[in-house]
Amino acid sequence: MPFRLAALILAIFCVGTAELSPSGMLDDLSADLAVSIATAGLLVTAYALTMVVGGPAVTALTTRVRRKTLLVALLAVFVLGNVVCALAPGFGVLMAGRVLTAAVHGTFMAVCVVTAGDMVGAGKGGGAVAATQLGINLATVLGVPMGSFLAQHYDWRAPFGVVAALATVAIGLVLAWVPDTPAPTVTAAHEARVFRRPNVWGTVGATVLCSAGMFTLITYMVPLLTGVGGLPRQWVPAVLLAYGLGSIVGNLLGGRFADRGVDRAVGQLSWALTAVCLLVWLLAPYGPAGALALVLFSLATFALIPGLQAKVLTEAADAPTLSLTANMSAFGLGAALGSWLGGLLTESAAGTRAVPLGAAALTASGALLVLGLRRAARRTPQTLPIAVSTPER
């Protein structure tokens, strides 16, 4: 079991690093490709938007493919996309490579979660999500700094090449260690029918709102530390490291909470995240205290994510891959909305100081939606299975 999960975690680490690393080397990309930093930033924006649209489309087209085969095929496309990025002669080709990798991102993550859920067994969906989410945590703590270091000391192409090489290793480990299972017997049309259920849409909507709140603050975390809190810039890497470590701890705790009761976990943690956003607003002007509040924000954020993913599985257990892919798209949409709102607040009269309040408003909206779903569920008999298992089981 540890080796099987390790193969998935390495693969997700590669995917997460490729998604996030351009944000740490925008200066290098801008200088070498002769584009503005804002234009270079489109590499991140285009990736998120492609995830929103491409994930459900790729999932619908690959519903009947055996999961192990699909994991290997998606990783192969991912390797190809990163090779294109590493060899790109200009910005246009680099963007094409980014779009190619983003198109398979959502489906790959969803299949990883469902595969992990099958391996750990029913009733441990939160732990399965947390185990795979660890790959994203490691990408935040190790992958992004690695990409920035390689870009500064070698070339911005180096991180893409290293990620492609590691993903090739991950393909070998998946082939060796991840068990093969029969192809799902359901069709894409059958899986799509789960979106007729209000609770499925409600859960996806809560994910959009909560993730928008997360990214409102995440995007402008550094300006909040330095501009509002007056923290010296040389302290920022240490705070970001602490933030990354907090994300790992929060992720592990969130998986355990979700396994004990996913509805209760999502409800309590969404309100906890709202409270922490307000705490960040309160302590932001006080330097080290504001930094500590951001570490608590990291804990609360990454504790909530496994619950949101596990909840959509409970509501659409008979269509796990498509529902999870849709929820991954919801995270991408939330990231785009949150970063947009954070920018508006930063440029407003209230300034960066108001960013945590905007984050709190969005997460509170998500928490209210979750509360409404719980109350509706109490009035409606539960008829759906809640285990993270596939129809053929």
Side-chain angles (χ1 to χ4, degrees), residues 8-33:
L8 297 179
I9 290 170
L10 174 60
I12 293 171
F13 168 80
C14 294
V15 173
T17 299
E19 176 192 7
L20 300 172
S21 59
S23 61
M25 52 185 185
L26 290 180
D27 288 340
D28 303 279
L29 288 164
S30 172
D32 189 62
L33 297 173

Side-chain angles (χ1 to χ4, degrees), residues 199 263-264 370-382:
N199 275 7
D263 284 339
R264 183 174 66 253
V370 170
L371 180 62
L373 292 174
R374 290 187 68 184
R375 289 180 175 176
R378 292 193 187 109
R379 296 192 296 267
T380 304
Q382 179 68 28

Side-chain angles (χ1 to χ4, degrees), residues 48 50-56 106 204 208 324-334:
T50 303
M51 275 181 57
V52 172
V53 178
V204 172
V208 171
L324 272 175
T325 305
N327 218 40
M328 289 298 303
S329 295
F331 276 109
L333 180 58

Side-chain angles (χ1 to χ4, degrees), residues 16 44 49 60 87 109 112 137 174 273 300 306 368 370 390:
V44 178
L49 294 177
L87 300 178
M109 292 293 294
C112 280
N137 296 143
V174 169
L273 180 58
L368 287 171
V370 170
T390 56

Side-chain angles (χ1 to χ4, degrees), residues 222-313:
V222 173
L224 196 68
L225 285 169
T226 57
V228 176
L231 205 69
R233 293 196 65 85
Q234 59 266 30
W235 287 23
V236 171
V239 175
L240 294 181
L241 176 60
Y243 179 92
L245 294 175
S247 74
I248 294 176
V249 175
N251 177 55
L252 296 175
L253 291 175
R256 292 184 180 181
F257 292 155
D259 283 341
R260 293 174 183 173
V262 65
D263 284 339
R264 183 174 66 253
V266 171
Q268 292 176 350
L269 290 170
S270 56
W271 285 118
L273 180 58
T274 301
V276 172
C277 288
L278 293 174
L279 182 65
V280 173
W281 172 77
L282 183 66
L283 298 179
Y286 304 104
L292 178 60
L294 282 171
V295 174
L296 293 177
F297 168 75
S298 172
L299 275 166
T301 293
F302 285 90
L304 178 57
I305 289 174
L308 288 170
Q309 294 284 59
K311 181 166 173 57
V312 80
L313 281 171

